[in-house]
Amino acid sequence: MPTLIDLRQEGEKSRPRHPEKEGRPDSPSPRKPDWIRVKAPTSLGYHQTKELVRELKLHTVCEEAGCPNIGECWSQKHATFMILGGICTRACSFCNVATGKPLPLDQNEPDNVAYATAQMGLKHVVVTSVDRDDLDDGGADHFVRTIEAIRRSAPDTTIEILTPDFLRKPGAADRVIDAKPDVFNHNLETVPRLYHSIRPGARYYQSLRLLDSVKQRDPTQFTKSGLMVGLGEAKDEVLQVMDDLRVAGVDFLTIGQYLQPTKKHAAIDRFWTPEEFKALETIAYAKGFLMVSASPLTRSSHHAGEDFARLKAARLAQTQA
């Protein structure tokens, strides 16, 4: 069952960010290799994006998950909006998003995300969320309202969603699929052997079924999924996940290096080299993915707009071949 941490409410200053991890022993992170290092954000564009996010009381996965690419993306006024609040009802051992008991939904959030999308002039917007196992529909209606609001405020903007798994929420995923986002993304995150320790509230085959259901219900919709490496997986296990995703008809695969948010999070087993990522990319293309992004700093929404253009071009080329 999903892990629901019922402690202090969202917004309490004294609330620990990860209460379920407080008693865990430290797992020191090894020194980062040179290919992982990024510069601290300082640009004007970064600060303007930060001010707009604060003004509208929005959450972004860029901040909440501690993304290493935040300086680059926010400098270009690109952001991944995180809806359904800032507190997750699950407690994945890799994730830096705060866990606990969420507040009621902010009914203005869909319109605020749409307004920010229009204000920033985004050609492609990514919307993700925390897990909300406490809601009857897992937050599906909120996703639909957000998609609809963006369509009204920024009709020329393409929309990519990165959803939870809607575990034990019958009919919820169908409602989101029927809202017709341009890209439906759901990350498997890791290999099935590691789910018990890395993603304990989720089920590997539920996630695969979700991705498959998108293609079954709307074959025209692009589907996307992502993996982290460096958690103790074997290369053969990663290749098997690729095969599973291709059986589910997934178009776009991202693979990036896991980086430990705090010493209480899952330990880093090793850093995969840029050469190993390049090899994974080559293999993934050979397996039939239309689009692959594999590098140490790859994240699901990094360069999402440019990648979406390339994804469309790849499908067009395939149909004309």
Side-chain angles (χ1 to χ4, degrees):
M1 292 291 290
T3 304
L4 180 60
I5 307 298
D6 188 359
L7 293 174
R8 283 165 282 187
Q9 293 281 358
E10 177 178 358
E12 278 194 32
K13 292 183 179 179
S14 59
R15 184 194 181 281
R17 187 173 180 83
H18 302 287
E20 80 289 348
K21 296 178 176 68
E22 291 291 296
R24 292 184 182 178
D26 289 353
S27 297
S29 177
R31 180 180 173 82
K32 292 184 180 70
D34 291 341
W35 61 79
I36 291 291
R37 300 179 189 281
V38 294
K39 294 181 179 179
T42 58
S43 72
L44 177 62
Y46 168 83
H47 290 291
Q48 288 174 337
T49 301
K50 185 174 182 178
E51 287 173 10
L52 181 61
V53 168
R54 295 289 181 274
E55 177 187 342
L56 296 175
K57 299 180 180 178
L58 295 173
H59 298 280
T60 68
V61 76
C62 320
E63 290 182 292
E64 301 294 342
C67 180
N69 302 313
I70 188 171
E72 176 190 349
C73 293
W74 281 28
S75 293
Q76 300 172 22
K77 296 190 176 181
H78 295 168
T80 297
F81 298 110
M82 191 173 78
I83 62 173
L84 302 176
I87 300 289
C88 188
T89 56
R90 298 195 189 173
C92 297
S93 65
F94 68 88
C95 185
N96 197 40
V97 174
T99 54
K101 182 179 180 181
L103 290 173
L105 292 178
D106 176 1
Q107 299 303 324
N108 294 320
E109 191 174 53
D111 288 332
N112 285 341
V113 169
Y115 176 77
T117 299
Q119 285 292 105
M120 294 169 70
L122 299 181
K123 294 180 180 179
H124 184 82
V125 63
V126 183
V127 180
T128 188
S129 78
V130 292
D131 277 285
R132 289 298 299 263
D133 296 302
D134 59 312
L135 300 176
D136 290 341
D137 68 349
D141 182 65
H142 213 66
F143 263 101
V144 172
R145 289 182 56 212
T146 302
I147 293 169
E148 292 173 346
I150 294 169
R151 296 273 188 236
R152 290 192 300 269
S153 295
D156 295 329
T157 300
T158 50
I159 301 172
E160 179 173 328
I161 58 170
L162 173 54
T163 75
D165 57 15
F166 301 114
L167 183 65
R168 302 183 184 91
K169 308 294 182 183
D174 290 347
R175 294 164 61 189
V176 181
I177 296 166
D178 291 347
K180 293 190 175 297
D182 296 280
V183 182
F184 194 114
N185 186 0
H186 174 68
N187 288 336
L188 292 185
E189 305 291 10
T190 189
V191 301
R193 177 176 59 85
L194 297 178
Y195 260 55
H196 178 71
S197 59
I198 300 302
R199 212 177 166 214
R203 299 293 180 268
Y204 180 78
Y205 290 103
Q206 164 67 18
S207 290
L208 275 178
R209 281 192 294 268
L210 171 60
L211 290 162
D212 182 66
S213 71
V214 179
K215 285 296 188 184
Q216 295 297 324
R217 196 169 182 88
D218 183 1
T220 66
Q221 235 172 92
F222 287 106
T223 50
K224 179 177 177 180
S225 190
L227 288 173
M228 301 172 294
V229 293
L231 286 161
E233 68 292 317
K235 183 178 179 180
D236 286 349
E237 291 179 298
V238 175
L239 303 188
Q240 182 60 60
V241 171
M242 290 185 189
D243 289 337
D244 291 344
L245 288 170
R246 288 302 302 130
V247 170
V250 171
D251 301 298
F252 187 174
L253 174 64
T254 61
I255 308 175
Q257 172 70 49
Y258 166 65
L259 298 176
Q260 187 184 33
T262 74
K263 292 179 180 180
K264 299 295 183 182
H265 283 75
I268 295 175
D269 177 68
R270 74 179 182 95
F271 291 104
W272 287 53
T273 67
E275 293 75 20
E276 289 176 301
F277 279 102
K278 185 61 179 178
L280 290 176
E281 178 186 286
T282 300
I283 293 168
Y285 274 121
K287 289 180 180 291
F289 289 98
L290 286 179
M291 180 72 192
V292 182
S293 179
S295 74
L297 291 175
T298 289
R299 296 297 182 266
S300 287
S301 55
H302 192 213
H303 297 156
E306 296 93 326
D307 286 345
F308 178 62
R310 293 167 61 195
L311 185 61
K312 289 192 296 181
R315 175 182 281 179
L316 181 62
Q318 186 182 69
T319 58
Q320 293 178 342

